[in-house]
Amino acid sequence: MKTGQPSVIGGAMIAAGTMIGAGMLTLPIVSAGMWFTWTIFIMLITTFFMQNSAEEILEVNLSYPEGSSFHTLVKNNLGHFASVINGFSVAFVLYILLYAYVDGSGSVIKNALAVNLDVDLPKPLAGLIFAAALSVLVWWGAKAVDRISTVLMLAMFITLFAALSGLLSSVSATKLFEPTGEHNYAIYAFASLPFFLTSFCFHASVPSFVKYYGREGGKKIRAALMIGMWLTLIFYAVWMLGIMGNVDRASFQHITGDKLLWLFDSVQLTAFFRNMLDFFAFFAVVTSFLGAGLGLFDYIADLCNFDDSHLGRAKTAVITFVPPTILGMSLPNGFVIAIGFAGLFAAIWSVIIPGMTVLAHRKKQAKSGEPSTFKAFGGKWMPYIVIGYGIIAAVSHLLVEVFQIKALNFFIQ
């Protein structure tokens, strides 16, 4: 083991910090159909499968030199076509998330100004100011993003704890376990799968963990990923407990317009705790935008072969941020829908492709007789099960968004 190798807890904090963000704002809305008990069940299932798909990437990555990218792993094991599909899926997810964060930021900023300063700022203008300011920060460089993200993550967790303390103090067991309305909740679980998948997705960071810990750190990486997953699960469970214990289930059937604003207005909190909730939402959107923006910025720069000069970075910034900003201004109230589409493509690159990659990698190892130093949990059949989970999540989203199956989307229209 390397001297001075990073701690497991440090890696777990990085993993949890990558997952916990603006996506969790959508979870109470998309879980309204199945409500609290089924929500916890789906989160447990999601945690299990996303942990396994991350370990499958790790198993393959540990057979490659430190610094090998996810793109390299896919191309070497599945070929050029699969790497193109994978690259497109990653880019699409990042673009659609940036659109969602521009739209979500407009809602959060507009709401905060109206509540605290009695200022009625148009939502598109709020989103434009948000996107322009943070785009300049990403253009400035990764070091600037890293420093401000560290401060914002700390602020996000502090305000989240404060908001949750207010929410938990007024939780109603009746609202949690005896909701009004019909009682066949299980079918709605399918509609939530892509949203939870997105909220537990950090898999592009696994190669960074290998570089961070070294190829001999497989067990420590597995432990860090697992602890990070469970910390995220606990955060989400408490968040859902606080929201669902304060908002009546039947009221979700009558959401109109901006879903985020509706959700915040439906939670009865004192002025202090409401401000903490607003600040948390803002910090969550900012940190998520910076993370997705930096990832897409680097991807576009590499794809288009732009240099790192001011002009080259300006070209990259235009391609990266202008399309989602225009969409965020012209297609309002799409935050929840966008996160769902991100989940559709995230199912491809973070679940289905890792399963296929590890199967191809194991076949190569068997032919070459090369011993494996690390194996993902679950044995030889688990990759097939993980792939099946990814397919179910993707198909569920298509049923809701393409065919508009009433049984699945009754509560998220």
Side-chain angles (χ1 to χ4, degrees):
M1 187 173 292
K2 285 182 176 180
T3 303
Q5 193 181 63
S7 69
V8 170
I9 296 299
M13 294 298 104
I14 294 173
T18 304
M19 287 181 277
I20 298 172
M24 67 185 285
L25 301 176
T26 69
L27 298 183
I29 298 170
V30 301
S31 302
M34 59 180 175
W35 213 236
F36 186 69
T37 303
W38 277 100
T39 293
I40 298 301
F41 177 69
I42 291 299
M43 282 199 291
L44 287 168
I45 288 178
T46 304
T47 302
F48 175 79
F49 282 115
M50 295 303 278
Q51 170 71 25
N52 272 277
S53 62
E55 288 190 13
E56 288 168 358
I57 298 173
L58 177 61
E59 178 179 334
V60 178
N61 206 159
L62 291 175
S63 296
Y64 285 77
E66 295 174 18
S68 298
S69 67
F70 186 37
H71 169 78
T72 298
L73 308 183
V74 174
K75 187 174 183 179
N76 285 2
N77 287 280
L78 298 179
H80 177 71
F81 179 74
S83 70
V84 171
I85 296 298
N86 184 66
F88 172 81
S89 299
V90 172
F92 182 87
V93 167
L94 292 174
Y95 266 120
I96 204 71
L97 285 179
L98 287 180
Y99 156 68
Y101 299 148
V102 171
D103 179 66
S105 69
S107 300
V108 172
I109 294 171
K110 175 181 173 63
N111 178 69
L113 291 176
V115 171
N116 296 289
L117 300 177
D118 198 26
V119 174
D120 186 17
L121 183 67
K123 179 180 172 179
L125 180 57
L128 175 62
I129 294 172
F130 172 90
L134 296 187
S135 299
V136 170
L137 188 63
V138 174
W139 169 84
W140 191 262
K143 184 176 291 187
V145 172
D146 177 59
R147 289 175 177 174
I148 195 169
S149 293
T150 301
V151 175
L152 289 170
M153 283 295 296
L154 179 61
M156 186 182 75
F157 284 119
I158 291 173
T159 52
L160 176 58
F161 275 117
L164 287 176
S165 66
L167 289 169
L168 296 179
S169 65
S170 57
V171 166
S172 166
T174 300
K175 288 179 178 177
L176 278 176
F177 300 111
E178 298 178 22
T180 56
E182 55 82 31
H183 299 285
N184 297 317
Y185 303 152
I187 187 65
Y188 302 114
F190 290 97
S192 72
L193 286 176
F195 294 89
F196 280 101
L197 189 153
T198 304
S199 296
F200 281 92
C201 189
F202 67 102
H203 295 54
S205 300
V206 172
S208 299
F209 274 73
V210 174
K211 187 176 181 180
Y212 190 43
Y213 284 89
R215 291 179 61 195
E216 68 276 20
K219 292 183 178 179
K220 292 189 88 173
I221 298 173
R222 167 186 272 162
L225 299 182
M226 185 174 295
I227 294 172
M229 276 280 184
W230 280 95
L231 285 174
T232 303
L233 172 66
I234 292 169
F235 264 95
Y236 289 167
V238 176
W239 168 248
M240 301 299 277
L241 174 68
I243 297 293
M244 291 180 164
N246 281 277
V247 182
D248 186 79
R249 177 178 182 265
S251 65
F252 281 89
Q253 299 181 54
H254 309 295
I255 300 178
T256 57
D258 194 311
K259 295 178 175 65
L260 283 185
L261 290 183
W262 177 90
L263 181 64
F264 286 0
D265 289 340
S266 299
V267 179
Q268 300 301 314
L269 291 172
T270 64
F272 172 77
F273 290 119
R274 174 56 191 268
N275 285 335
M276 290 298 101
L277 184 60
D278 288 337
F279 276 121
F280 159 67
F282 177 74
F283 292 139
V285 171
V286 172
T287 54
S288 297
F289 183 96
L290 289 174
L294 185 60
L296 183 59
F297 186 93
D298 291 339
Y299 179 86
I300 293 297
D302 182 59
L303 181 68
C304 299
N305 199 29
F306 291 144
D307 60 37
D308 203 38
S309 66
H310 288 316
L311 179 59
R313 293 182 68 81
K315 293 177 183 178
T316 306
V318 168
I319 296 175
T320 301
F321 296 112
V322 169
T325 301
I326 293 175
L327 283 176
M329 295 175 64
S330 57
L331 297 176
N333 307 329
F335 183 78
V336 175
I337 295 173
I339 296 295
F341 274 104
L344 169 63
F345 283 87
I348 296 173
W349 73 264
S350 69
V351 181
I352 296 173
I353 285 183
M356 295 171 62
T357 302
V358 78
L359 288 172
H361 177 69
R362 288 175 181 178
K363 188 176 294 186
K364 281 186 176 181
Q365 282 191 318
K367 287 182 178 179
S368 65
E370 178 185 350
S372 177
T373 58
F374 178 90
K375 284 285 188 182
F377 173 81
K380 64 179 181 179
W381 294 109
M382 185 55 69
Y384 296 101
I385 299 173
V386 169
I387 291 170
Y389 160 75
I391 292 173
I392 291 172
V395 170
S396 296
H397 181 77
L398 290 174
L399 288 175
V400 173
E401 296 297 340
V402 178
F403 298 106
Q404 296 292 291
I405 300 299
K406 185 177 180 181
L408 290 181
N409 71 357
F410 183 70
F411 278 88
I412 63 173
Q413 283 294 329

